Amino acid sequence: MTYQFVTEQHDYSDLASGAVLRSAPGHPAFPVRLASEVFLRAWHALEEARPLTVWDPCCGSGYLLTVLGLLHRDKIAGLIASDIADDPLRIARANLALLSTRGLRRRTAELDELARRFGRPSYVNAAGAARRLQELLSRSGGQDLPHVVGQTDVFDQRQVAALLAVSPQPRLVLTDVPYGEQTAWQGAGQAEGVPNLLRSLASALPADTMIAMIARGRRVPLPAGVHATARFKIGTRAVVLVRLRDLHATLVGVSGA
């Protein structure tokens, strides 16, 4: 399937993982154009008239959310990043800090200093990219984008409830689920990854919440009989959009809504 919203190719090199945005082994980046397309399809399916809060419960390095925050600030009110492991969350905090004027300035100064000390072209280029991202932030109004970062086992309904108790209510849950190559499910519910993820989300979020799940392969599995709002595949990744109300009746232990 082709792109419906991000129909033109853009140069996303300023958003490359490991340049301005930080990276680490085992925490892969995500195709920027596809991230934007998935977000915009979910946005239009929700028919939102105002900015919404987006939660990635398997955020890893926070790359996906940071990219969306930089590109779609006008449509995003806040971001929630969570993961079961603390190590990737340290990177996520650093990346999400780039969604503030102060954070971007600090990162630019850091890259300028590295370029001055070592003279590597990669640092010089990254510092230039950071300045261009500052310009992007300024053009979008220059407002810092609120975000919450929390260590949470998404299969643990009590931990999910605790995270959401101190966070804005997300209208969209968007995540690239672990697929067993560079990333893998962790936690007590890992044996039944996607179904247990959906059970946990359904226990804590309103029925009109949209879930956008991305995975490598031909199809993202849903419980039998569940109606998907949309399905599509671009490249090696499959995407499904589904509202929680279409899941409630089929998920064990969750009452209808």
Side-chain angles (χ1 to χ4, degrees):
M1 182 175 287
T2 58
Y3 287 85
Q4 291 183 3
F5 294 97
V6 192
T7 55
E8 296 181 6
Q9 289 276 12
H10 297 279
D11 180 3
Y12 295 116
S13 55
D14 288 348
L15 298 170
S17 180
V20 183
L21 276 72
R22 300 173 191 268
S23 64
H27 302 294
F30 189 86
V32 175
R33 187 182 181 193
L34 179 57
S36 188
E37 178 73 18
V38 173
F39 172 77
L40 289 173
R41 291 203 194 197
W43 166 272
H44 284 273
L46 280 167
E47 298 181 341
E48 279 294 317
R50 59 183 181 180
L52 50 73
T53 296
V54 184
W55 175 26
D56 183 351
C58 309
C59 73
S61 67
Y63 181 84
L64 177 57
L65 286 182
T66 304
V67 164
L68 292 178
L70 288 166
L71 293 179
H72 298 290
R73 185 173 297 259
D74 60 324
K75 294 178 175 62
I76 297 177
L79 298 168
I80 307 170
S82 66
D83 203 285
I84 192 171
D86 188 54
D87 284 345
L89 290 179
R90 286 197 287 269
I91 309 170
R93 290 185 184 96
N95 281 333
L96 289 163
L98 301 175
L99 301 175
S100 70
T101 300
R102 181 181 180 184
L104 259 180
R105 285 176 178 168
R106 290 181 64 179
R107 181 61 169 154
T108 304
E110 178 185 23
L111 292 166
D112 279 334
E113 176 62 14
L114 289 170
R116 184 191 67 78
R117 289 175 59 192
F118 301 107
R120 293 180 184 175
S122 59
Y123 291 141
V124 174
N125 294 336
R131 278 186 280 274
R132 287 188 291 274
L133 291 178
Q134 287 186 59
E135 294 171 2
L136 175 64
L137 175 60
S138 179
R139 289 196 301 272
S140 63
Q143 298 294 318
D144 295 353
L145 189 56
H147 60 271
V148 174
V149 180
Q151 186 174 5
T152 305
D153 179 353
V154 74
F155 300 135
D156 188 320
Q157 296 181 11
R158 289 176 297 180
Q159 290 188 33
V160 169
L163 173 71
L164 297 179
V166 296
S167 307
Q169 192 75 59
R171 287 276 287 127
L172 171 62
V173 178
L174 192 158
T175 192
D176 183 28
V177 300
Y179 43 83
E181 293 176 11
Q182 296 186 61
T183 58
W185 291 109
Q186 299 179 48
Q190 61 182 300
E192 238 189 317
V194 169
N196 281 338
L197 167 67
L198 293 174
R199 289 187 187 97
S200 187
L201 296 178
S203 74
L205 294 170
D208 62 348
T209 305
M210 182 71 75
I211 312 299
M213 291 189 298
I214 310 155
R216 287 188 183 273
R218 297 182 61 185
R219 191 175 179 86
V220 183
L222 289 176
V226 173
H227 168 72
T229 300
R231 284 187 179 274
F232 60 98
K233 188 173 186 296
I234 295 179
T236 62
R237 283 181 167 88
V239 183
V240 64
L241 306 182
V242 60
R243 290 182 187 268
L244 278 183
R245 65 166 165 257
D246 294 322
L247 289 161
H248 281 174
T250 64
L251 295 177
V252 175
V254 177
S255 58

